[in-house]
Amino acid sequence: MSQSTDLPWELLNTEVDVIIIGAGATGGVVARELGTAGLKVVLMEAGPHWEVSRDFVSDELHMRKTAWQARRLTAGNDPPELGHNISGFGVGGGTLHFTAVVPRFFPSDFQLETREGVGADWPVTYEDLVPYWQALERDLPVAGPKYYPWGGFQGPYPYPQRDPIAATQQILHIGCDRLGIRSAGAPLAILSAPYNDRPPCTNRGFCAQGCLPNAKFSTLIHHIPQAIKAGVELRTGCMVNRVLCGPDDRVEGISFLFNGQEYRQKARVVVVCASAIETPRLLLMSANGRHPQGLANRSGLVGRYFMLHSGHEVIARFPYEVLPYKGTPITMTTQEFYETPADGSRVRGFSIHAHGSRPLAFMSAVFKAKRIWGKDLREVARDYNYFARLTLVGEVLPSASNTITLSTEKDRYGLPAPLVTFSYGENDKNVITAGVRTCKQILEAAGGRVEFVSPDTSHMLGGCRMGSDPQTSVVDQWGRSHDHPNLFIADTALFVTSGASNPTITAMALAWRTADYIKEEFRQGNL
Amino acid sequence: MMVGTVYPGFDVMVQSPHWDRNTRHLIEARLQPPGPAQFFSPPEIALLEAVLGRLLDELDSTLLQRVAGQIDSYLFNNQQNGDHKSGLPPTGDLLRKGLHLLEANAVLLFQRPFLQLTPLEMDELLGKVQRGEVNWQGIPPGEFFRKITGIGIDFFFSQPEIWSEIGFAGPAYPRGYYRLETGLKDPWEPISDPEREDARVAAGLGPARRLE
């Protein structure tokens, strides 16, 4: 192990209180909370430390650099695309390019087994997370409607709903109105009025590429600067390759790769916030003689119950110019079909978002839907401005056979590339069928002619699920490993079920709750 | 009947002085002719250009050269998202291998290299590849077809003259968009030509016919 003196890290040769792995949506929250509590914290990030004004541009193609680029393999009946739509790279992680849609999970999401006889119950309830959602809605802050018709929170949101809304968003509103379906402004972590030194949104439309005016929240511009100010040491370009575990089952720190060299960092607590692919992968890569199945894996469930949302796109041609590039990509939503319908045709449901599109997103969806090329494809492109798109966020039930495992191929770091195996179950397909049908009805009611249905997925979840029983879960209700008292997971990997809401604010709420627990355990001398 | 853009005369680059400097430089660089290929060999890049011309229905060889050159440097710099289906080679290898097999198929089927096929013959062969009606060792033809078309779409529809053609008003920082609702446009957005709209409708294209 080489430790030259010109390395940029002050805390390398000390034992710190906490190492957080992953500077994305949840790592940022945990770092700020633990840093401002006075703990000595190191925040590890595989990617670069982006600077918005230097690194961000208004271009779909170029901004794919904010997606995870190292090799990942996919398998199963429905092998997902794992690119820009799903992953993040660099400080800010997925919040750099998420659409900033931040509804809470519904109360029913936490009790699927009890209420529906499927999946499993979470070891936390909706009420447990309410104070954290509330705090985050003020912290980010969230702009949304005065009255929100679904779930456990009916508003009002701290910041007013965005106004005006673009033509592509009006289409959802009008279609729903004509069908008697309620629709509403989506709660967004995008400013409708100034907040500190951040201006309101300029409707530029490039949320999924990275916000330039900083009207959209990301941990890059919000939590992580606050963490650094509180003394957290951020290390970028550092790929953690192993969590180190002692003979007493306590973790002792990590090893990580920086410019091809391996280094070690000792810590009293390790918190993994590396995503539903990288978190289980890291635990599996950390196998040792005492834990040949990987760390935190006495249950054998690390990497199991991996989930995505179905994210089918339904695209319709309209009699007028929709100009789908303008405005915040997702501004209007309906969560009317979130839960199990009375007719028993499916368990659980979906949300539908109006979804603007820039040319690459649009043309890729068109090609995926019908595999047209040549003249047919080019003519659709020339009609780009007449099309509007709705996107599904469909619940996918947890299945033990959807997994993250280690493949025999190596990634750019020389580490075993993760293999993501994913297949939809019967109920998942029923949710998709109903969701696509409803999207079509809404678009047609608004005067559109549906031409393309493109399969897609979004949001990686699960793989280290939480639970009360160490036999059937990886971590407890605080995100603490059942097997290692000072190893925590605080990202979407611990999701027990997928819900049908964009998961970011719920993942951040859980992470903040874990950070509070860690603070209290330190205070009591238990860590 | 050939019906082109409904936005004749719209040039998104006219607006580029209103874009932030980094975006402007990036898009201006995209308009420059490519340097020598680094990932593909000269015959491979010529083949790639010809294939892209058919997949994207484009005849302008200068434009196709730029698109192929930008794909080449993207692969050379290993910038692609690293995910791929288990059992498939990484994107660059898949494309290179597929181009060679395509060339072999052209000779087998038409006794001529791909570049000497007529457009119709090229389309016939590409259709066979898409449908998996060719006998390829090592890589599934359909996967090659999806990948090369997908990458072609990404780079072709990132060209500013194509943005102008389809009426994408382009980058908008720091200016933003403020006239968002149905029927409204900011002053710099493209104005569609009603006669061309009508011509597209007559050809079964363009805006949907109103049902009401």
Side-chain angles (χ1 to χ4, degrees), chain A residues 418-439:
Chain A
L419 173 65
V420 179
T421 304
F422 184 77
S423 306
Y424 286 121
E426 273 315 301
N427 190 73
D428 306 335
K429 291 178 189 168
N430 292 340
V431 167
I432 292 168
T433 303
V436 167
R437 186 174 59 232
T438 309
C439 287

PDB file of all heavy atoms in Angstrom, chain A residues 418-439:
ATOM      1  N   PRO A 418     -20.724  -5.856 -12.491  1.00  0.00           N
ATOM      2  CA  PRO A 418     -21.989  -6.373 -11.963  1.00  0.00           C
ATOM      3  C   PRO A 418     -22.864  -6.919 -13.090  1.00  0.00           C
ATOM      4  O   PRO A 418     -22.860  -6.383 -14.192  1.00  0.00           O
ATOM      5  CB  PRO A 418     -22.631  -5.146 -11.308  1.00  0.00           C
ATOM      6  CG  PRO A 418     -22.020  -3.969 -11.983  1.00  0.00           C
ATOM      7  CD  PRO A 418     -20.651  -4.381 -12.427  1.00  0.00           C
ATOM      8  N   LEU A 419     -23.588  -7.984 -12.786  1.00  0.00           N
ATOM      9  CA  LEU A 419     -24.560  -8.543 -13.718  1.00  0.00           C
ATOM     10  C   LEU A 419     -25.955  -8.255 -13.162  1.00  0.00           C
ATOM     11  O   LEU A 419     -26.273  -8.654 -12.037  1.00  0.00           O
ATOM     12  CB  LEU A 419     -24.356 -10.054 -13.867  1.00  0.00           C
ATOM     13  CG  LEU A 419     -25.417 -10.798 -14.683  1.00  0.00           C
ATOM     14  CD1 LEU A 419     -25.405 -10.358 -16.147  1.00  0.00           C
ATOM     15  CD2 LEU A 419     -25.219 -12.310 -14.591  1.00  0.00           C
ATOM     16  N   VAL A 420     -26.754  -7.540 -13.940  1.00  0.00           N
ATOM     17  CA  VAL A 420     -28.107  -7.167 -13.528  1.00  0.00           C
ATOM     18  C   VAL A 420     -29.084  -8.075 -14.263  1.00  0.00           C
ATOM     19  O   VAL A 420     -29.190  -8.014 -15.487  1.00  0.00           O
ATOM     20  CB  VAL A 420     -28.395  -5.695 -13.877  1.00  0.00           C
ATOM     21  CG1 VAL A 420     -29.807  -5.315 -13.461  1.00  0.00           C
ATOM     22  CG2 VAL A 420     -27.366  -4.774 -13.230  1.00  0.00           C
ATOM     23  N   THR A 421     -29.766  -8.927 -13.519  1.00  0.00           N
ATOM     24  CA  THR A 421     -30.717  -9.858 -14.136  1.00  0.00           C
ATOM     25  C   THR A 421     -32.128  -9.413 -13.793  1.00  0.00           C
ATOM     26  O   THR A 421     -32.462  -9.259 -12.616  1.00  0.00           O
ATOM     27  CB  THR A 421     -30.480 -11.285 -13.610  1.00  0.00           C
ATOM     28  OG1 THR A 421     -29.115 -11.634 -13.863  1.00  0.00           O
ATOM     29  CG2 THR A 421     -31.401 -12.285 -14.296  1.00  0.00           C
ATOM     30  N   PHE A 422     -32.936  -9.165 -14.826  1.00  0.00           N
ATOM     31  CA  PHE A 422     -34.257  -8.584 -14.571  1.00  0.00           C
ATOM     32  C   PHE A 422     -35.296  -9.141 -15.533  1.00  0.00           C
ATOM     33  O   PHE A 422     -35.088  -9.163 -16.746  1.00  0.00           O
ATOM     34  CB  PHE A 422     -34.194  -7.054 -14.714  1.00  0.00           C
ATOM     35  CG  PHE A 422     -35.488  -6.371 -14.380  1.00  0.00           C
ATOM     36  CD1 PHE A 422     -35.865  -6.193 -13.054  1.00  0.00           C
ATOM     37  CD2 PHE A 422     -36.335  -5.924 -15.376  1.00  0.00           C
ATOM     38  CE1 PHE A 422     -37.064  -5.574 -12.724  1.00  0.00           C
ATOM     39  CE2 PHE A 422     -37.550  -5.300 -15.059  1.00  0.00           C
ATOM     40  CZ  PHE A 422     -37.899  -5.130 -13.738  1.00  0.00           C
ATOM     41  N   SER A 423     -36.410  -9.596 -14.962  1.00  0.00           N
ATOM     42  CA  SER A 423     -37.570 -10.019 -15.762  1.00  0.00           C
ATOM     43  C   SER A 423     -38.826  -9.487 -15.086  1.00  0.00           C
ATOM     44  O   SER A 423     -38.925  -9.520 -13.860  1.00  0.00           O
ATOM     45  CB  SER A 423     -37.665 -11.552 -15.817  1.00  0.00           C
ATOM     46  OG  SER A 423     -36.466 -12.120 -16.278  1.00  0.00           O
ATOM     47  N   TYR A 424     -39.767  -9.036 -15.888  1.00  0.00           N
ATOM     48  CA  TYR A 424     -41.058  -8.633 -15.320  1.00  0.00           C
ATOM     49  C   TYR A 424     -41.843  -9.878 -14.920  1.00  0.00           C
ATOM     50  O   TYR A 424     -41.817 -10.900 -15.609  1.00  0.00           O
ATOM     51  CB  TYR A 424     -41.889  -7.871 -16.358  1.00  0.00           C
ATOM     52  CG  TYR A 424     -41.422  -6.462 -16.634  1.00  0.00           C
ATOM     53  CD1 TYR A 424     -41.057  -6.071 -17.915  1.00  0.00           C
ATOM     54  CD2 TYR A 424     -41.375  -5.509 -15.616  1.00  0.00           C
ATOM     55  CE1 TYR A 424     -40.651  -4.768 -18.186  1.00  0.00           C
ATOM     56  CE2 TYR A 424     -40.969  -4.211 -15.873  1.00  0.00           C
ATOM     57  CZ  TYR A 424     -40.604  -3.845 -17.153  1.00  0.00           C
ATOM     58  OH  TYR A 424     -40.205  -2.562 -17.417  1.00  0.00           O
ATOM     59  N   GLY A 425     -42.582  -9.763 -13.820  1.00  0.00           N
ATOM     60  CA  GLY A 425     -43.527 -10.813 -13.444  1.00  0.00           C
ATOM     61  C   GLY A 425     -44.879 -10.564 -14.081  1.00  0.00           C
ATOM     62  O   GLY A 425     -45.109  -9.526 -14.721  1.00  0.00           O
ATOM     63  N   GLU A 426     -45.807 -11.522 -13.889  1.00  0.00           N
ATOM     64  CA  GLU A 426     -47.142 -11.414 -14.501  1.00  0.00           C
ATOM     65  C   GLU A 426     -47.852 -10.144 -14.068  1.00  0.00           C
ATOM     66  O   GLU A 426     -48.422  -9.415 -14.878  1.00  0.00           O
ATOM     67  CB  GLU A 426     -48.000 -12.634 -14.122  1.00  0.00           C
ATOM     68  CG  GLU A 426     -47.830 -13.812 -15.043  1.00  0.00           C
ATOM     69  CD  GLU A 426     -47.852 -13.426 -16.521  1.00  0.00           C
ATOM     70  OE1 GLU A 426     -48.856 -12.847 -17.007  1.00  0.00           O
ATOM     71  OE2 GLU A 426     -46.826 -13.698 -17.202  1.00  0.00           O
ATOM     72  N   ASN A 427     -47.815  -9.870 -12.751  1.00  0.00           N
ATOM     73  CA  ASN A 427     -48.522  -8.669 -12.268  1.00  0.00           C
ATOM     74  C   ASN A 427     -47.884  -7.392 -12.822  1.00  0.00           C
ATOM     75  O   ASN A 427     -48.584  -6.436 -13.143  1.00  0.00           O
ATOM     76  CB  ASN A 427     -48.535  -8.649 -10.736  1.00  0.00           C
ATOM     77  CG  ASN A 427     -49.463  -7.573 -10.205  1.00  0.00           C
ATOM     78  OD1 ASN A 427     -50.680  -7.700 -10.273  1.00  0.00           O
ATOM     79  ND2 ASN A 427     -48.881  -6.474  -9.726  1.00  0.00           N
ATOM     80  N   ASP A 428     -46.539  -7.406 -12.911  1.00  0.00           N
ATOM     81  CA  ASP A 428     -45.857  -6.224 -13.466  1.00  0.00           C
ATOM     82  C   ASP A 428     -46.365  -5.945 -14.877  1.00  0.00           C
ATOM     83  O   ASP A 428     -46.570  -4.794 -15.268  1.00  0.00           O
ATOM     84  CB  ASP A 428     -44.344  -6.454 -13.519  1.00  0.00           C
ATOM     85  CG  ASP A 428     -43.766  -6.867 -12.171  1.00  0.00           C
ATOM     86  OD1 ASP A 428     -44.389  -6.522 -11.144  1.00  0.00           O
ATOM     87  OD2 ASP A 428     -42.713  -7.529 -12.153  1.00  0.00           O
ATOM     88  N   LYS A 429     -46.572  -7.029 -15.642  1.00  0.00           N
ATOM     89  CA  LYS A 429     -47.051  -6.865 -17.025  1.00  0.00           C
ATOM     90  C   LYS A 429     -48.489  -6.353 -17.042  1.00  0.00           C
ATOM     91  O   LYS A 429     -48.860  -5.564 -17.910  1.00  0.00           O
ATOM     92  CB  LYS A 429     -46.955  -8.200 -17.778  1.00  0.00           C
ATOM     93  CG  LYS A 429     -45.504  -8.613 -18.039  1.00  0.00           C
ATOM     94  CD  LYS A 429     -45.447  -9.972 -18.738  1.00  0.00           C
ATOM     95  CE  LYS A 429     -44.018 -10.477 -18.804  1.00  0.00           C
ATOM     96  NZ  LYS A 429     -43.948 -11.893 -19.221  1.00  0.00           N
ATOM     97  N   ASN A 430     -49.293  -6.810 -16.074  1.00  0.00           N
ATOM     98  CA  ASN A 430     -50.664  -6.303 -15.998  1.00  0.00           C
ATOM     99  C   ASN A 430     -50.688  -4.815 -15.676  1.00  0.00           C
ATOM    100  O   ASN A 430     -51.526  -4.066 -16.195  1.00  0.00           O
ATOM    101  CB  ASN A 430     -51.459  -7.069 -14.935  1.00  0.00           C
ATOM    102  CG  ASN A 430     -51.698  -8.518 -15.335  1.00  0.00           C
ATOM    103  OD1 ASN A 430     -51.605  -8.860 -16.512  1.00  0.00           O
ATOM    104  ND2 ASN A 430     -51.980  -9.370 -14.369  1.00  0.00           N
ATOM    105  N   VAL A 431     -49.764  -4.392 -14.804  1.00  0.00           N
ATOM    106  CA  VAL A 431     -49.658  -2.965 -14.476  1.00  0.00           C
ATOM    107  C   VAL A 431     -49.288  -2.178 -15.740  1.00  0.00           C
ATOM    108  O   VAL A 431     -49.875  -1.130 -16.037  1.00  0.00           O
ATOM    109  CB  VAL A 431     -48.616  -2.738 -13.356  1.00  0.00           C
ATOM    110  CG1 VAL A 431     -48.276  -1.255 -13.225  1.00  0.00           C
ATOM    111  CG2 VAL A 431     -49.130  -3.289 -12.025  1.00  0.00           C
ATOM    112  N   ILE A 432     -48.335  -2.706 -16.501  1.00  0.00           N
ATOM    113  CA  ILE A 432     -47.901  -2.019 -17.731  1.00  0.00           C
ATOM    114  C   ILE A 432     -49.065  -1.911 -18.716  1.00  0.00           C
ATOM    115  O   ILE A 432     -49.327  -0.846 -19.287  1.00  0.00           O
ATOM    116  CB  ILE A 432     -46.713  -2.768 -18.374  1.00  0.00           C
ATOM    117  CG1 ILE A 432     -45.470  -2.644 -17.479  1.00  0.00           C
ATOM    118  CG2 ILE A 432     -46.425  -2.227 -19.772  1.00  0.00           C
ATOM    119  CD1 ILE A 432     -44.321  -3.568 -17.865  1.00  0.00           C
ATOM    120  N   THR A 433     -49.771  -3.029 -18.907  1.00  0.00           N
ATOM    121  CA  THR A 433     -50.894  -3.033 -19.860  1.00  0.00           C
ATOM    122  C   THR A 433     -51.930  -1.970 -19.480  1.00  0.00           C
ATOM    123  O   THR A 433     -52.366  -1.179 -20.321  1.00  0.00           O
ATOM    124  CB  THR A 433     -51.563  -4.425 -19.886  1.00  0.00           C
ATOM    125  OG1 THR A 433     -50.554  -5.380 -20.209  1.00  0.00           O
ATOM    126  CG2 THR A 433     -52.672  -4.496 -20.909  1.00  0.00           C
ATOM    127  N   ALA A 434     -52.279  -1.949 -18.198  1.00  0.00           N
ATOM    128  CA  ALA A 434     -53.280  -0.978 -17.742  1.00  0.00           C
ATOM    129  C   ALA A 434     -52.732   0.444 -17.863  1.00  0.00           C
ATOM    130  O   ALA A 434     -53.462   1.368 -18.255  1.00  0.00           O
ATOM    131  CB  ALA A 434     -53.678  -1.278 -16.296  1.00  0.00           C
ATOM    132  N   GLY A 435     -51.472   0.614 -17.543  1.00  0.00           N
ATOM    133  CA  GLY A 435     -50.869   1.943 -17.591  1.00  0.00           C
ATOM    134  C   GLY A 435     -50.799   2.477 -19.009  1.00  0.00           C
ATOM    135  O   GLY A 435     -51.154   3.638 -19.267  1.00  0.00           O
ATOM    136  N   VAL A 436     -50.360   1.646 -19.925  1.00  0.00           N
ATOM    137  CA  VAL A 436     -50.260   2.079 -21.321  1.00  0.00           C
ATOM    138  C   VAL A 436     -51.645   2.394 -21.867  1.00  0.00           C
ATOM    139  O   VAL A 436     -51.852   3.401 -22.557  1.00  0.00           O
ATOM    140  CB  VAL A 436     -49.547   0.998 -22.171  1.00  0.00           C
ATOM    141  CG1 VAL A 436     -49.710   1.273 -23.651  1.00  0.00           C
ATOM    142  CG2 VAL A 436     -48.070   0.914 -21.785  1.00  0.00           C
ATOM    143  N   ARG A 437     -52.623   1.554 -21.520  1.00  0.00           N
ATOM    144  CA  ARG A 437     -53.996   1.786 -21.993  1.00  0.00           C
ATOM    145  C   ARG A 437     -54.504   3.133 -21.485  1.00  0.00           C
ATOM    146  O   ARG A 437     -55.090   3.917 -22.239  1.00  0.00           O
ATOM    147  CB  ARG A 437     -54.910   0.644 -21.516  1.00  0.00           C
ATOM    148  CG  ARG A 437     -56.321   0.703 -22.069  1.00  0.00           C
ATOM    149  CD  ARG A 437     -57.134  -0.523 -21.682  1.00  0.00           C
ATOM    150  NE  ARG A 437     -57.224  -0.659 -20.228  1.00  0.00           N
ATOM    151  CZ  ARG A 437     -56.913  -1.765 -19.562  1.00  0.00           C
ATOM    152  NH1 ARG A 437     -56.493  -2.835 -20.196  1.00  0.00           N
ATOM    153  NH2 ARG A 437     -57.007  -1.798 -18.241  1.00  0.00           N
ATOM    154  N   THR A 438     -54.234   3.424 -20.227  1.00  0.00           N
ATOM    155  CA  THR A 438     -54.701   4.697 -19.656  1.00  0.00           C
ATOM    156  C   THR A 438     -53.996   5.886 -20.314  1.00  0.00           C
ATOM    157  O   THR A 438     -54.627   6.905 -20.607  1.00  0.00           O
ATOM    158  CB  THR A 438     -54.468   4.706 -18.130  1.00  0.00           C
ATOM    159  OG1 THR A 438     -55.030   3.516 -17.578  1.00  0.00           O
ATOM    160  CG2 THR A 438     -55.112   5.912 -17.485  1.00  0.00           C
ATOM    161  N   CYS A 439     -52.699   5.753 -20.559  1.00  0.00           N
ATOM    162  CA  CYS A 439     -51.969   6.826 -21.263  1.00  0.00           C
ATOM    163  C   CYS A 439     -52.612   7.092 -22.621  1.00  0.00           C
ATOM    164  O   CYS A 439     -52.812   8.247 -23.019  1.00  0.00           O
ATOM    165  CB  CYS A 439     -50.511   6.440 -21.480  1.00  0.00           C
ATOM    166  SG  CYS A 439     -49.499   6.465 -19.993  1.00  0.00           S
TER     167      CYS A 439
END
